[in-house]
């Protein structure tokens, strides 16, 4: 999962910069804290071994963030690219800081399916993690719930339809088989 997250991040950065993956350089991501976040998340999920990971709509934050290539609006381009590829909903969140980094988005893109609302869940455990920032309008915390529930599986559905007009019974017999 750690390697997959870094690959997804590289692909998103390549798409944003109009290059291919082999030419993509990780500027901010090469930091020790980003490697620790990605590898630590992968190890945690390996230990927990969940059947499925879901994420409700993500609040990316607001205002601007300074990166290697300059100042960008939040969410930055790589987060938007990862969200689009993962088919997530980004929720309007306002604020004056980045709440979802490209690294965090890459980890989620690797392991989580986006859902519009928390599914029915019998909670077995919960965990909280707090960041160092102290925003005035909300806690700077991440909540994770673990549990069991129904409606968490996505099963493919195949629909076959046909419109028959002037078909003979002999033709319909083999169609039925």
């Amino acid at each position: 999962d750690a390697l997959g997250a870094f690959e997804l991040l590289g692909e998103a950065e390549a798409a944003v910069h109009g290059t291919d993956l082999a030419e993509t350089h990780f500027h901010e991501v090469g930091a020790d804290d980003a490697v620790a976040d990605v590898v630590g998340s992968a190890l945690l999920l390996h230990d927990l071994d969940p059947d499925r990971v879901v994420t409700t709509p993500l609040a990316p934050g607001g205002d601007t963030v300074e990166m290697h290539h300059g100042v960008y609006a939040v969410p930055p381009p790589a987060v938007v690219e990862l969200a689009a590829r993962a088919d997530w909903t980004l929720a309007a969140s306002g604020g004056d800081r980045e709440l979802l980094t490209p690294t965090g988005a890459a980890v989620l893109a690797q392991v989580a399916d986006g859902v519009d609302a928390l599914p029915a869940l019998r909670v077995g455990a919960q965990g909280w993690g707090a960041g160092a920032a102290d925003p005035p309008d909300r806690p700077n915390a991440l909540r994770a719930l673990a549990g069991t529930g129904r409606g968490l599986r996505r099963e493919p559905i195949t629909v076959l339809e046909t419109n028959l007009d002037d078909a003979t019974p002999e033709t319909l017999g083999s169609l039925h088989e």
Side-chain angles (χ1 to χ4, degrees), residues 2 4-5 31 37 42 47 49 53-54 61 67 79 87-88 92 97 101-102 117 119 125 130-131:
D37 290 345
D47 287 347
D49 194 27
V53 177
V54 298
M67 293 184 281
V79 169
D87 196 25
W88 295 330
R97 67 178 26 91
T101 65

Side-chain angles (χ1 to χ4, degrees), residues 101-116:
T101 65
T103 304
V107 169
L108 285 173
Q110 175 64 26
V111 300
D113 295 322
V115 295
D116 292 331

Side-chain angles (χ1 to χ4, degrees), residues 1 3 7-8 20 35 39 44 47 49 56 80 87 97 101 106 118 127 132 134 137 158 164 166 176:
D1 282 339
L3 292 174
E7 185 172 353
L8 289 172
D20 60 18
V35 173
V39 174
L44 172 68
D47 287 347
D49 194 27
T56 54
V80 173
D87 196 25
R97 67 178 26 91
T101 65
L118 184 66
D134 191 20
D137 58 341
T158 303
L164 299 174
D166 296 327
H176 179 72

Side-chain angles (χ1 to χ4, degrees), residues 44 48 121 123-130 141-147:
L44 172 68
L48 291 173
L121 184 70
V123 177
Q126 67 174 322
W128 290 85
L142 170 72
R143 177 181 70 168
L145 302 174

